[in-house]
Amino acid sequence: MSSLIETPQSHYINGAWQAASRHFDVLNPLDDSLVTRAAAGTRAEAEAAIAAADRAFPAWAALAPGARQALFLKAAEITERRHDEIVHLLAIEAGTARAFASFQVRLSANLMRQAASWGYLPCGDLLRSDTPGRMAMVQRKPLGVVAGFTPWNGAFFLAWRTILLPMAFGNTVVIKPSELAPVTAGLLQAEILHEAGFPPGTLNVVTHAPGEAEGIADAFFDARAVRSINFTGSDRTARILGARAGQALKRMVLELGGYNPMLVLEDADLDHAAQAVNFGAFFHQGQICMNTRKVYVARAVHDAFVAKLAARTRTLKAGNPLEPGVVVGPLISDGAVAQTKARIAEALAKGATLVTGGTCEGRIHAPTILTHVPKDALATKGCDETFGPLLVIEAFDEVEAALQKAQDTPYGLSAAIMTGNAGKGLELASRFDTGIVHVNGATMAGEASLPNGGVKDSGWGRSGHYAVEDFTEIRLATVTHGPGMYPF
Ligand code: ADP
């Protein structure tokens, strides 16, 4: 039993649990049963959290890399020790099936172990100067306070990504977890860092009720101490926040949606392709930004591929994520169910063929595959991702035409190509305008050390140690021996 499902919950500010005066119900997406009552934060509480992070910054930034490393390694140990409890919390709060929940725990511990070494990365360069006797240095420095918005979908890992990348490079952090997953996208992380002994104020968590995100966001944008906004969510919300960041002259890191295509060429291993698509499309019931949304298959192998894929998809067990063997849990909300149903109904009304799925019980929507979807149906329009278990398959005659169609989307997160000719695959891959492309792999893959992130409307910023570019800035410093060179 976790203390995080006792009620009511608190905020975590300056290394202590701070009771709130207002609370809201956090409900299980499976059946609307009560998970916990979380603190309904206010602007004043967000301001207190920012002030705590600001006070903690100088000492955290100056802490020796070895001391920081010891803290991250301790957090990894605690995370692994709490595996079963975290898997349970992810099931009841975010509808996460065991395979994905367990993967998130391992990936998070792995990211902590990676981040533990980043304090030792080079922290600058020496440059040549034309001024005699001058040495020029570029010093890499943390930004200050980074304010994060953590999402509900890959709640546990994505919250860690939002927290650890800035902290590993010497920043302090305030987060506002999604109102749909305050426990697994924020409070759990606070508990773990607290137990690991992180200094007060290095991480602060302020939760908020549905419909009250703006007050917290206002505090982030208005605070001079906040130097960067680190957002994971929809491009719709990112546009609103981006306009505000422009006004406030704050940096942003954005991890947004995707409409991720897969090309299956005639020479592909069809069993591998079917496995990769079944996983890529239906992992976490299609609620991950890297899920495969559309597959273009060479016409010669189209029917065989669809048959192999459908056979796999029909075996996926849907239901309560706490039950053994379930891989497809509930969608997060009635809105998500309605969107998935509406997209399928529209496509079918316009003449699409239903290969499998199409049914829904409560919020558990069966993994659904459509073919022959007319191009004016929203399900197949690359401008609008359906955040649910819906996959569209289309046959192609010319790979060049398929590549062009697959690129006809404002998003640019992930893409994949299945082929027996890796060289050809790599050549096609190089022409995808995406932040990630896999040859002979699913569109979704997660390794803590690799730089995930998007281009175009999928956002900017990268994970792994490449995040040093996002969460540090450089300062030029010079030292001159002897007389200077001045024009007068
Ligand atoms: P999702 O649909 O994946 O929840 P959203 O982009 O709608 O993605 O929300 C992501 C986060 O942004 C959530 O934590 C939510 O609280 C916050 N949010 C949504 N709308 C606003 C807004 N107008 N101002 C500030 N924050 C917002």
Side-chain angles (χ1 to χ4, degrees), residues 132-145:
R134 169 168 290 177
M135 187 171 72
M137 288 165 269
V138 166
Q139 303 169 333
R140 209 170 257 290
K141 295 162 52 64
L143 306 174
V145 178

Side-chain angles (χ1 to χ4, degrees), residues 149-153 176-180 208-209 211-218 221 231-238 240-241 244 387:
F149 291 61
T150 64
W152 54 265
N153 57 348
K176 177 209 93 45
S178 164
E179 57 275 31
L180 298 173
H208 69 87
E212 297 184 4
E214 272 178 73
I216 311 293
D218 283 347
F221 285 106
F231 175 78
T232 303
S234 65
D235 56 302
R236 178 180 39 79
T237 305
I240 298 170
L241 301 183
R244 301 219 46 201
F387 224 53

Side-chain angles (χ1 to χ4, degrees), residues 282 313 318 328 340 344 356-361 363-369 389-390:
F282 301 122
T313 301
V328 176
T340 305
I344 295 169
T356 186
T359 56
C360 188
E361 273 179 51
R363 296 197 185 106
I364 299 175
H365 199 293
T368 300
I369 300 173
L390 171 59

Side-chain angles (χ1 to χ4, degrees), residues 151 169 292 340 354 383 399 466:
F169 297 113
T292 314
T340 305
L354 179 69
C383 57
V399 71
Y466 292 89

